[in-house]
Amino acid sequence: MGARVALIYAGQAPRPDIRFEPIDGCVMEEFGALDGLTASEIAAARPVGGELALLTRIAGGQSVAVRADYVAKRLEVLLARLDLEGFSALVLLSTGIFRSFSTRTPLIHGQKAVDAWIGALVLGDCRIGLIHPLPQQDSHFADVRFGTMVHSARSIARGRLSQNIAEASQSMADADLIVMHSVGYTEEMAKEAARVSGRPVVTATRIIIGALRASLAEASAEDAPFLPKTDLDGASLVAVLNAVDHALTPRECDVMALVLEGDSNKIIARRLNISHRTVDIHRARGMSKLGAKSVADLMRRAIMLSAHGLPPND
């Protein structure tokens, strides 16, 4: 029997605006923290003053701002119920929820997944641009969440109110990578941000669903958190890394490209029709030749090289 996964939103389900590639053998069911509430009840939960808020969607497609603490309390009740319903995994497909939840079912916590992904990249000199839907989230996310995570404040490029994607993207031109830090941002918005900024762009949804894929594939035993695709695919990233001394063999390039796309060794073996042991060997040799200790290190270096104009080898 395939995996049964609960997708949980801060607003109301379903969310037809959130799209991603299906996961083979995985049945998705959607739930929302605000399900069952009337428009007037939701309006009563709007933020006041400087309260931390979430911008989410309700039935009918309207976007609303709701107090983050109100959503968190309703999520606690919803997660407790879903925890008893036999799901393979619970996915909190939302950012901006900072509190932890205790469940027996494996929980992919959206904010923590994005935190971990960004943290894996900014430990070096990689500059991450963060785009948020609400102005108060800009200072909260950058200063509070990542202030203790990064070695240098310069690792976080300054964000701006992102109602206008083009304007926000232009302000990120000095970043090495842009993260659109809300599941409300679509892949189409990410492509527009990449076009305007000239930088690789990743959405929060990609990161969170990537963490789910890694969990379902039992990839947690490997050496790095899942690193989702950007506008540069794995083959392009490997080409950038390999451009200096052309050290990798063609098969090592194939393996390392899939590694950078976040695939586990088991999945790589199946996709390339080779043994798991052969993947282990090519992966180890590739990491050694490229002088990297982790996949996060590889991704960080590839992003920085591509951002500074180093072309892939022919």
Side-chain angles (χ1 to χ4, degrees):
M1 180 181 294
R4 180 170 167 250
V5 174
L7 299 181
I8 304 160
Y9 309 117
Q12 293 181 322
R15 289 288 300 268
D17 59 305
I18 298 179
R19 300 191 301 272
F20 50 86
E21 295 178 3
I23 300 175
D24 291 341
C26 187
V27 177
M28 305 286 192
E29 300 180 35
E30 296 178 278
F31 304 88
L34 305 183
D35 285 353
L37 295 182
T38 65
S40 59
E41 288 173 325
I42 294 173
R46 64 182 180 274
V48 178
E51 290 181 310
L52 181 62
L54 300 175
L55 187 67
T56 188
R57 292 198 182 192
I58 58 176
Q62 305 98 318
S63 293
V64 297
V66 186
R67 296 197 314 274
D69 62 343
Y70 179 80
V71 174
K73 290 176 182 178
R74 290 190 60 87
L75 281 172
E76 183 174 21
V77 175
L78 177 58
L79 285 167
R81 174 170 67 83
L82 297 177
D83 197 22
L84 302 175
E85 296 188 8
F87 285 99
S88 304
L90 307 175
V91 181
L92 180 51
L93 202 54
S94 175
T95 57
I97 301 293
F98 298 109
R99 61 156 294 178
S100 298
F101 301 95
S102 178
T103 61
R104 292 177 296 178
T105 307
L107 172 64
I108 307 298
H109 191 303
Q111 180 64 47
K112 292 184 178 181
V114 176
D115 279 357
W117 192 87
I118 293 176
L121 294 179
V122 300
L123 291 177
D125 294 325
C126 187
R127 291 173 57 85
I128 306 295
L130 302 178
I131 297 179
H132 307 288
L134 295 175
Q136 65 265 42
Q137 290 177 330
D138 181 46
S139 59
H140 185 90
F141 278 63
D143 297 339
V144 177
R145 295 301 301 169
F146 300 112
T148 59
M149 183 182 294
V150 300
H151 290 310
S152 169
R154 293 180 299 174
S155 295
I156 299 296
R158 192 170 185 81
R160 293 182 182 175
L161 177 63
S162 54
Q163 297 291 347
N164 185 323
I165 297 298
E167 179 184 354
S169 303
Q170 288 172 349
S171 74
M172 299 291 175
D174 61 342
D176 296 313
L177 172 72
I178 296 173
V179 176
M180 302 190 80
H181 210 298
S182 169
V183 298
Y185 291 126
T186 66
E187 290 299 319
E188 289 73 21
M189 293 177 183
K191 290 178 181 178
E192 174 65 10
R195 184 190 67 80
V196 172
S197 66
R199 293 294 181 254
V201 178
V202 178
T203 63
T205 298
R206 270 195 179 274
I207 296 174
I208 298 168
I209 295 301
L212 170 63
R213 290 178 185 275
S215 176
L216 294 177
E218 297 182 344
S220 59
E222 298 192 26
D223 68 346
F226 178 87
L227 296 172
K229 298 177 185 177
T230 67
D231 285 345
L232 295 172
D233 61 13
S236 296
L237 291 172
V238 168
V240 168
L241 290 166
N242 200 36
V244 178
D245 53 15
H246 307 276
L248 301 181
T249 67
R251 180 54 91 186
E252 288 167 352
C253 286
D254 292 340
V255 170
M256 296 308 296
L258 295 178
V259 167
L260 284 171
E261 290 186 10
D263 287 345
S264 68
N265 284 8
K266 292 179 181 178
I267 293 176
I268 294 172
R270 186 163 61 247
R271 291 181 65 176
L272 297 180
N273 196 28
I274 57 179
S275 70
H276 188 285
R277 175 57 180 161
T278 301
V279 174
D280 287 340
I281 293 172
H282 286 313
R283 178 176 177 141
R285 288 176 177 171
M287 296 289 285
S288 177
K289 289 180 179 180
L290 294 172
K293 296 181 179 179
S294 70
V295 181
D297 182 36
L298 278 183
M299 176 67 85
R300 179 168 56 245
R301 288 163 53 190
I303 289 171
M304 293 183 67
L305 288 172
S306 61
H308 287 86
L310 180 61
N313 57 306
D314 295 327

